[in-house]
Amino acid sequence: MGRYGLLLVATVASVAVQGVVQPGSVQQIVVTALAGGTLVLAFHAGSLAPRLTKAVTVFAAAAVAVAVFRATAGGIGEGAARAVNAALVALGPPAVAIGLLRELRATQEVRIEAVSGVLCLYVLIGMAFGFLYGAIDNLGGDPFFAGGTPASVSHCLYFSLTTLATVGYGDFVARSDLGHTLAVSEALIGQIYLVTVVSLIVSNLRRPERRPAGP
Protein backbone atom coordinates (compact mmCIF):
# COMPACT_ATOMS: atom_id res chain seq x y z
CA MET A 1 0.00 0.00 0.00
CA GLY A 2 1.43 3.36 -1.05
CA ARG A 3 1.60 6.62 0.85
CA TYR A 4 -1.71 7.95 -0.35
CA GLY A 5 -3.34 4.53 -0.05
CA LEU A 6 -2.63 4.49 3.69
CA LEU A 7 -3.93 8.05 3.99
CA LEU A 8 -7.11 7.05 2.14
CA VAL A 9 -7.68 4.15 4.55
CA ALA A 10 -7.26 6.47 7.55
CA THR A 11 -9.62 9.02 5.98
CA VAL A 12 -12.32 6.45 5.27
CA ALA A 13 -11.94 5.09 8.82
CA SER A 14 -12.44 8.60 10.19
CA VAL A 15 -15.61 9.05 8.14
CA ALA A 16 -16.92 5.68 9.34
CA VAL A 17 -16.31 6.47 13.01
CA GLN A 18 -18.01 9.85 12.73
CA GLY A 19 -21.01 8.43 10.92
CA VAL A 20 -21.57 5.10 12.69
CA VAL A 21 -20.19 5.22 16.25
CA GLN A 22 -22.58 6.65 18.82
CA PRO A 23 -21.59 10.06 20.23
CA GLY A 24 -19.72 9.92 23.50
CA SER A 25 -16.35 10.35 25.15
CA VAL A 26 -14.76 7.44 23.31
CA GLN A 27 -15.99 8.68 19.94
CA GLN A 28 -14.63 12.16 20.62
CA ILE A 29 -11.16 10.82 21.39
CA VAL A 30 -11.12 8.43 18.43
CA VAL A 31 -12.36 11.11 16.02
CA THR A 32 -9.66 13.54 17.14
CA ALA A 33 -6.99 10.82 17.01
CA LEU A 34 -7.99 9.88 13.45
CA ALA A 35 -8.09 13.56 12.42
CA GLY A 36 -4.58 14.00 13.82
CA GLY A 37 -3.44 10.80 12.17
CA THR A 38 -4.71 11.89 8.76
CA LEU A 39 -2.89 15.20 9.18
CA VAL A 40 0.43 13.51 9.95
CA LEU A 41 -0.04 11.00 7.13
CA ALA A 42 -0.89 13.83 4.72
CA PHE A 43 2.39 15.61 5.50
CA HIS A 44 4.34 12.36 5.20
CA ALA A 45 2.62 11.54 1.91
CA GLY A 46 3.38 15.02 0.61
CA SER A 47 7.07 14.60 1.58
CA LEU A 48 7.10 18.05 3.17
CA ALA A 49 9.97 19.44 5.19
CA PRO A 50 10.75 17.36 8.32
CA ARG A 51 10.35 20.40 10.56
CA LEU A 52 6.82 20.95 9.26
CA THR A 53 5.94 17.28 9.70
CA LYS A 54 7.32 17.40 13.24
CA ALA A 55 5.29 20.54 14.00
CA VAL A 56 2.00 19.02 12.85
CA THR A 57 2.80 15.81 14.74
CA VAL A 58 3.16 17.86 17.94
CA PHE A 59 -0.07 19.68 17.12
CA ALA A 60 -1.91 16.40 16.53
CA ALA A 61 -0.58 14.90 19.78
CA ALA A 62 -1.62 18.00 21.70
CA ALA A 63 -5.11 17.86 20.17
CA VAL A 64 -5.51 14.21 21.23
CA ALA A 65 -4.29 15.06 24.74
CA VAL A 66 -6.87 17.86 24.95
CA ALA A 67 -9.58 15.46 23.74
CA VAL A 68 -8.65 12.95 26.45
CA PHE A 69 -8.64 15.71 29.08
CA ARG A 70 -12.03 16.94 27.88
CA ALA A 71 -13.51 13.43 27.97
CA THR A 72 -12.24 12.74 31.49
CA ALA A 73 -12.27 16.12 33.25
CA GLY A 74 -14.48 18.33 31.10
CA GLY A 75 -14.13 22.10 31.04
CA ILE A 76 -13.64 22.36 27.26
CA GLY A 77 -16.64 23.16 25.10
CA GLU A 78 -17.87 21.19 22.12
CA GLY A 79 -17.37 24.17 19.83
CA ALA A 80 -13.68 24.45 20.69
CA ALA A 81 -13.22 20.69 20.15
CA ARG A 82 -14.89 20.85 16.72
CA ALA A 83 -12.76 23.88 15.79
CA VAL A 84 -9.56 22.01 16.69
CA ASN A 85 -10.65 19.02 14.61
CA ALA A 86 -11.48 21.35 11.71
CA ALA A 87 -7.97 22.81 11.91
CA LEU A 88 -6.40 19.34 12.01
CA VAL A 89 -8.25 18.21 8.89
CA ALA A 90 -8.01 21.51 6.99
CA LEU A 91 -4.19 21.44 7.07
CA GLY A 92 -4.17 18.11 5.24
CA PRO A 93 -5.43 19.10 1.74
CA PRO A 94 -2.66 21.67 1.05
CA ALA A 95 -0.02 19.10 2.01
CA VAL A 96 -1.63 16.48 -0.26
CA ALA A 97 -1.89 18.97 -3.13
CA ILE A 98 1.78 19.94 -2.84
CA GLY A 99 2.84 16.29 -2.74
CA LEU A 100 0.73 15.42 -5.79
CA LEU A 101 2.12 18.32 -7.82
CA ARG A 102 5.67 17.28 -6.96
CA GLU A 103 4.99 13.67 -7.88
CA LEU A 104 3.35 14.56 -11.19
CA ARG A 105 6.23 16.85 -12.12
CA ALA A 106 8.82 14.24 -11.19
CA THR A 107 7.20 11.26 -12.94
CA GLN A 108 5.49 13.10 -15.81
CA GLU A 109 2.70 10.52 -15.62
CA VAL A 110 -0.42 9.73 -13.62
CA ARG A 111 -0.23 6.62 -11.47
CA ILE A 112 -2.73 4.97 -9.16
CA GLU A 113 -1.05 6.76 -6.24
CA ALA A 114 -2.16 10.08 -7.69
CA VAL A 115 -5.75 8.85 -7.93
CA SER A 116 -5.67 7.85 -4.25
CA GLY A 117 -4.25 11.27 -3.44
CA VAL A 118 -6.96 13.27 -5.19
CA LEU A 119 -9.64 11.13 -3.52
CA CYS A 120 -8.06 11.76 -0.11
CA LEU A 121 -8.03 15.49 -0.77
CA TYR A 122 -11.71 15.43 -1.74
CA VAL A 123 -12.85 13.59 1.40
CA LEU A 124 -10.62 15.69 3.67
CA ILE A 125 -12.26 18.85 2.35
CA GLY A 126 -15.67 17.42 3.20
CA MET A 127 -14.54 16.45 6.69
CA ALA A 128 -13.07 19.91 7.33
CA PHE A 129 -16.34 21.62 6.37
CA GLY A 130 -18.25 19.17 8.57
CA PHE A 131 -16.20 20.05 11.64
CA LEU A 132 -16.52 23.75 10.76
CA TYR A 133 -20.31 23.50 10.66
CA GLY A 134 -20.30 21.87 14.08
CA ALA A 135 -18.01 24.53 15.49
CA ILE A 136 -20.31 27.28 14.21
CA ASP A 137 -23.32 25.58 15.78
CA ASN A 138 -21.66 25.41 19.20
CA LEU A 139 -19.82 28.74 19.14
CA GLY A 140 -22.36 30.91 17.34
CA GLY A 141 -25.13 30.69 19.92
CA ASP A 142 -27.87 29.83 17.39
CA PRO A 143 -28.43 26.42 15.77
CA PHE A 144 -26.60 25.86 12.50
CA PHE A 145 -29.41 23.83 10.94
CA ALA A 146 -32.90 25.16 10.32
CA GLY A 147 -35.74 23.64 12.31
CA GLY A 148 -33.57 23.06 15.37
CA THR A 149 -32.00 19.89 14.00
CA PRO A 150 -29.07 18.96 16.27
CA ALA A 151 -25.65 19.48 14.68
CA SER A 152 -24.14 16.19 15.80
CA VAL A 153 -20.88 14.98 14.31
CA SER A 154 -22.67 12.51 12.05
CA HIS A 155 -25.26 15.09 10.92
CA CYS A 156 -22.60 17.66 10.08
CA LEU A 157 -20.52 15.12 8.17
CA TYR A 158 -23.59 13.91 6.27
CA PHE A 159 -24.62 17.46 5.36
CA SER A 160 -21.06 18.35 4.36
CA LEU A 161 -20.43 15.35 2.10
CA THR A 162 -23.83 15.57 0.41
CA THR A 163 -23.20 19.27 -0.18
CA LEU A 164 -19.70 18.62 -1.50
CA ALA A 165 -21.08 16.00 -3.88
CA THR A 166 -23.90 18.43 -4.84
CA VAL A 167 -26.50 15.74 -4.08
CA GLY A 168 -28.74 18.07 -2.10
CA TYR A 169 -31.21 15.73 -0.40
CA GLY A 170 -32.78 18.67 1.43
CA ASP A 171 -33.33 16.95 4.79
CA PHE A 172 -30.70 19.23 6.38
CA VAL A 173 -30.63 22.94 5.60
CA ALA A 174 -28.32 25.66 6.89
CA ARG A 175 -30.19 28.35 8.81
CA SER A 176 -28.01 31.48 8.70
CA ASP A 177 -26.50 33.53 5.88
CA LEU A 178 -23.05 32.36 6.97
CA GLY A 179 -24.19 28.75 6.74
CA HIS A 180 -25.69 29.35 3.30
CA THR A 181 -22.48 30.96 2.07
CA LEU A 182 -20.30 28.14 3.37
CA ALA A 183 -22.61 25.49 1.90
CA VAL A 184 -22.62 27.17 -1.51
CA SER A 185 -18.83 27.54 -1.39
CA GLU A 186 -18.41 23.86 -0.54
CA ALA A 187 -20.77 22.83 -3.33
CA LEU A 188 -18.83 24.91 -5.85
CA ILE A 189 -15.53 23.47 -4.66
CA GLY A 190 -16.88 19.93 -4.92
CA GLN A 191 -18.39 20.38 -8.36
CA ILE A 192 -15.37 22.14 -9.87
CA TYR A 193 -12.98 19.65 -8.26
CA LEU A 194 -14.84 16.63 -9.61
CA VAL A 195 -15.25 17.88 -13.19
CA THR A 196 -11.70 19.21 -13.48
CA VAL A 197 -9.09 17.68 -11.19
CA VAL A 198 -10.54 14.19 -10.68
CA SER A 199 -11.65 13.76 -14.29
CA LEU A 200 -8.28 14.98 -15.58
CA ILE A 201 -6.33 12.66 -13.28
CA VAL A 202 -8.46 9.60 -14.03
CA SER A 203 -8.49 10.20 -17.79
CA ASN A 204 -4.68 10.33 -17.82
CA LEU A 205 -4.14 7.33 -15.56
CA ARG A 206 -1.20 5.32 -16.85
CA ARG A 207 -2.05 1.69 -17.55
CA PRO A 208 0.49 -0.90 -16.38
CA GLU A 209 2.69 -2.12 -19.19
CA ARG A 210 2.05 -5.67 -20.26
CA ARG A 211 4.99 -7.99 -20.01
CA PRO A 212 5.70 -10.11 -23.08
CA ALA A 213 4.42 -13.63 -22.77
CA GLY A 214 7.02 -16.31 -22.16
CA PRO A 215 7.81 -19.09 -24.62
Side-chain angles (χ1 to χ4, degrees), residues 32-52:
T32 302
L34 287 171
T38 56
L39 173 61
V40 175
L41 287 173
F43 272 67
H44 276 291
S47 299
L48 299 186
R51 58 185 179 84
L52 293 177

Side-chain angles (χ1 to χ4, degrees), residues 27-28 70 76-85 134-135 137-139 151-153:
Q27 188 215 39
Q28 294 168 3
R70 177 174 179 268
I76 300 175
E78 179 71 16
R82 301 277 191 99
V84 170
N85 287 342
D137 178 84
N138 287 275
L139 296 175
S152 64
V153 172

Side-chain angles (χ1 to χ4, degrees), residues 51-79:
R51 58 185 179 84
L52 293 177
T53 303
K54 182 178 180 180
V56 297
T57 302
V58 173
F59 177 39
V64 174
V66 170
V68 173
F69 177 82
R70 177 174 179 268
T72 55
I76 300 175
E78 179 71 16

Side-chain angles (χ1 to χ4, degrees), residues 99-178:
L100 287 173
L101 288 174
R102 287 178 176 175
E103 180 177 335
L104 291 174
R105 288 177 179 176
T107 61
Q108 295 295 311
E109 61 185 11
V110 177
R111 299 176 179 175
I112 193 65
E113 275 285 290
V115 176
S116 299
V118 297
L119 292 177
C120 289
L121 201 155
Y122 183 76
V123 179
L124 287 173
I125 291 173
M127 287 174 54
F129 271 98
F131 285 126
L132 180 59
Y133 297 147
I136 293 173
D137 178 84
N138 287 275
L139 296 175
D142 296 321
F144 179 81
F145 292 120
T149 304
S152 64
V153 172
S154 59
H155 286 172
C156 289
L157 180 66
Y158 168 78
F159 174 74
S160 177
L161 291 179
T162 55
T163 301
L164 186 67
T166 64
V167 175
Y169 290 124
D171 47 354
F172 290 92
V173 180
R175 181 194 56 82
S176 65
D177 290 339
L178 175 59

Side-chain angles (χ1 to χ4, degrees), residues 18-41:
Q18 293 178 61
V20 177
V21 179
Q22 291 296 322
S25 300
V26 174
Q27 188 215 39
Q28 294 168 3
I29 297 173
V30 174
V31 167
T32 302
L34 287 171
T38 56
L39 173 61
V40 175
L41 287 173

